[in-house]
Amino acid sequence: MTGGRAVPPVEVVEYTDPLCPWAWGSEPVFRGLRTALAGRVRWRRVYCILFDHDDDPAPDPVAETAWYARYVEGIAGHTRAPRAVRLSRVAATSWPSSLVAKAAELQGPEVADRVLRRLRETVFVLGEPADTLGAALDAAAGVPGLDARRLAADAASAAVLDGVRADHAEARRPVPEVLAEVPSAPRDSPHPGTAKETPDGGHRYALPTLVVCGPGGRGVVPGWRPYDVYAAAAGAFCPGLPTAPQTLSGAAALARYGTLTEPERVLLTRGAWPPPGAVRVETAGGPLWLAPEEAGTHPATRQTP
């Protein structure tokens, strides 16, 4: 019991990074799964730090950016996720965005989800990765329900830094199931999810990876997978899990999530589209739809003259 409330016996751990293109492409299925499991599991995010402090700087940043933009384009070809028309640079570090995402969790899951989503959109919609603390805080500005002053203070706190350091370490202790070729991965999968080798000779989780832990054991779903694969892993520990994600009307879904990509619209909504007041933001990989309230403070609309 915590605060008089029962703690769900099943934990879902999402290994991720705010600036990871595969994690961005997995947002539709993870949003659907979180909605289906709401109140039935404890969902915990671990920030892996994809772009670390000790990464060697590129000898030619322009060439690196061009290469990375093509890399993201290739991933978007599989996930159908939006991608920026122009990427200004490769992120220098994931630490600032991870600190802000971790700090946002102290203000509740809805605020945390919205802040993390804004951080992802800085690179994959705007092409300006939030790789400084100022940029990450600015991206979160105006999120409904957010206390911006508290977010800034918490993101700079020792407690949040310790939390992200613990995430960094945990992500580098992958379970044995992902250390070799993942047997459950489809043969034609573009992202099978085998753990990545780190510069020190160790390993970290491929992103994203979902680990489901419960009284009956553990299930691991690494890499990029369709919704049904994640649902089956969670369903092994949560009998009665719906076989399809909950769908809402376009207006209700947009109000709930703030922004929706086309893959999310297809998976998570029903009925007529777009709803009244929806704001369309163009990207090189299809539109991003903003709720009217979100459009008032979103960085994409702030950039519009």
Side-chain angles (χ1 to χ4, degrees):
M1 300 287 287
T2 299
R5 294 178 299 175
V7 176
V10 175
E11 180 181 62
V12 178
V13 185
E14 175 189 351
Y15 293 91
T16 191
D17 185 282
L19 308 180
C20 172
W22 284 110
W24 166 241
S26 298
E27 280 278 276
V29 294
F30 283 2
R31 277 183 158 183
L33 192 63
R34 284 197 300 270
T35 300
L37 296 176
R40 304 172 65 184
V41 304
R42 178 192 177 211
W43 191 291
R44 180 169 64 91
R45 289 191 179 103
V46 174
Y47 296 103
C48 180
I49 309 296
L50 181 62
F51 300 97
D52 212 341
H53 286 321
D54 56 3
D55 292 344
D56 293 331
D60 185 343
V62 174
E64 183 194 40
T65 299
W67 174 86
Y68 192 70
R70 292 192 298 270
Y71 174 70
V72 170
E73 181 179 2
I75 292 172
H78 293 290
T79 67
R80 305 302 178 194
R83 58 184 177 85
V85 172
R86 177 184 175 275
L87 181 65
S88 68
R89 64 189 182 281
V90 179
T93 171
S94 295
W95 280 93
S97 58
S98 297
L99 289 167
V100 169
K102 181 68 73 175
E105 294 177 357
L106 300 175
Q107 299 190 39
E110 292 184 7
V111 168
D113 286 352
R114 290 288 191 97
V115 168
L116 177 58
R117 178 62 173 227
R118 288 272 191 98
L119 294 166
R120 296 196 196 283
E121 289 167 352
T122 64
V123 59
F124 301 112
V125 175
L126 305 177
E128 296 286 344
D131 55 2
T132 68
L133 188 58
L137 292 170
D138 183 66
V143 162
L146 175 71
D147 182 332
R149 288 188 177 182
R150 180 185 176 189
L151 182 69
D154 287 337
S157 71
V160 167
L161 177 58
D162 287 345
V164 177
R165 283 174 172 166
D167 283 1
H168 182 276
E170 179 180 343
R172 283 152 182 79
R173 297 191 299 269
V175 295
E177 293 94 315
V178 300
L179 289 176
E181 183 177 347
V182 180
S184 62
R187 290 186 178 182
D188 59 349
S189 172
H191 186 30
T194 306
K196 303 292 185 179
E197 189 169 350
T198 54
D200 62 0
H203 292 84
R204 65 158 175 83
Y205 283 103
L207 305 180
T209 291
L210 225 59
V211 178
V212 185
C213 301
R218 177 174 70 202
V220 184
V221 185
W224 183 68
R225 300 286 187 275
Y227 177 87
D228 289 348
V229 175
Y230 293 106
F237 299 94
C238 301
L241 176 73
T243 57
Q246 175 185 345
T247 59
L248 301 170
S249 70
L254 204 52
R256 175 172 188 155
Y257 295 113
T259 69
L260 289 170
T261 64
E262 279 293 291
E264 289 168 335
R265 179 187 71 80
V266 171
L267 185 68
L268 302 176
T269 75
R270 62 177 182 269
W273 188 269
V279 175
R280 178 177 176 135
V281 174
E282 299 296 343
T283 81
L288 178 74
W289 296 94
L290 278 60
E293 181 184 24
E294 184 74 12
T297 63
H298 195 280
T301 51
R302 282 189 246 149
Q303 290 185 357
T304 302

